Amino acid sequence: MISVDFLVTSLIVVLIPGTGVLYTVATGLFIGKRASFVAALGCTLGIIPALLASSFGLAALFHTSAVAFQIIKYLGVIYLLYLAWQMWKTSSPLNVNSKGSQSTYLNIAIKGFLLNILNPKLSIFFLAFIPQFVPANQDGALSHMLILGSIFMALTFAVFVIYGFLSGSFSLFIVNSKRATMAMQRLFSASFAGLGLKLAFTER
């Protein structure tokens, strides 16, 4: 039985803006609604490794091994700073043909996927969060955790799609205004850099 507490808590967690929301919103603004949908899908799929790690106890490795945690963490920092640099160095890094292409959408999805893959805090979050809603005497605790994680992913995808579609509504204005494009891209670049630095100083 899925508790209301789990659904409400999960929704609150998902609604809080983070790297995935930032990436989806940026994609919606600079490319459009379809691309933001793909970004949301990529970010959501990036949750799967963390979910599996927590379900099978692998996330405990990040909690107990400082080396493993630091390696993944700094790979994530480097990737966030890379995204910040890519957005900063050119006036239109995300401006593509409005019709898009399979290769473009694939790249968008992969970037979103990597954002969550390279965040060790996500695995630890699942390790600490989901077990709270699994009864101690529950038979099939593993399957229960996977079900809860899948529901969390569904909420994440739904919320990200909403964020992306709302930002996509302003896409035409942003892309057609060089000044607005420059300002928004500088803002998102600084935000990615800030999140990267925040992750760099994050402890387990």
Side-chain angles (χ1 to χ4, degrees):
M1 182 69 179
I2 308 303
S3 69
V4 175
D5 287 343
F6 172 77
L7 294 175
V8 172
T9 305
S10 297
L11 184 60
I12 292 173
V13 170
V14 172
L15 286 171
I16 298 174
T19 54
V21 169
L22 185 65
Y23 177 69
T24 302
V25 169
T27 304
L29 280 173
F30 295 109
I31 303 180
K33 294 180 180 179
R34 286 187 179 181
S36 72
F37 181 90
V38 176
L41 180 61
C43 290
T44 303
L45 292 177
I47 295 175
I48 293 177
L51 172 60
L52 294 177
S54 62
S55 298
F56 290 100
L58 299 178
L61 175 65
F62 292 129
H63 188 66
T64 58
S65 172
V67 174
F69 181 86
Q70 294 296 328
I71 289 175
I72 299 298
K73 182 180 78 171
Y74 284 113
L75 285 174
V77 171
I78 292 171
Y79 185 65
L80 283 170
L81 294 179
Y82 166 76
L83 290 180
W85 170 245
Q86 285 291 310
M87 191 169 287
W88 183 274
K89 73 176 183 177
T90 176
S91 61
S92 303
L94 294 177
N95 187 10
V96 297
N97 189 300
S98 60
K99 293 182 179 179
S101 66
Q102 289 185 352
S103 60
T104 297
Y105 288 149
L106 179 61
N107 289 335
I108 290 171
I110 290 174
K111 285 183 177 181
F113 184 78
L114 289 176
L115 277 176
N116 280 335
I117 284 286
L118 299 177
N119 184 1
K121 298 294 289 185
L122 186 60
S123 295
I124 294 177
F125 165 75
F126 273 116
L127 184 66
F129 177 66
I130 292 184
Q132 297 180 42
F133 300 95
V134 178
N137 59 351
Q138 172 75 39
D139 291 331
L142 175 60
S143 61
H144 197 75
M145 287 184 66
L146 292 175
I147 291 172
L148 292 177
S150 299
I151 293 173
F152 183 89
M153 286 179 59
L155 287 173
T156 298
F157 180 66
V159 170
F160 279 27
V161 166
I162 292 173
Y163 274 130
F165 274 39
L166 288 176
S167 64
S169 299
F170 298 95
S171 177
L172 187 61
F173 167 74
I174 294 296
V175 171
N176 288 338
S177 172
K178 185 176 181 179
R179 180 175 298 180
T181 299
M182 291 289 291
M184 292 300 296
Q185 290 186 236
R186 294 295 185 263
L187 175 62
F188 279 109
S189 176
S191 298
F192 277 121
L195 288 170
L197 293 176
K198 179 182 178 181
L199 178 60
F201 292 101
T202 295
E203 300 297 331
R204 287 178 294 161

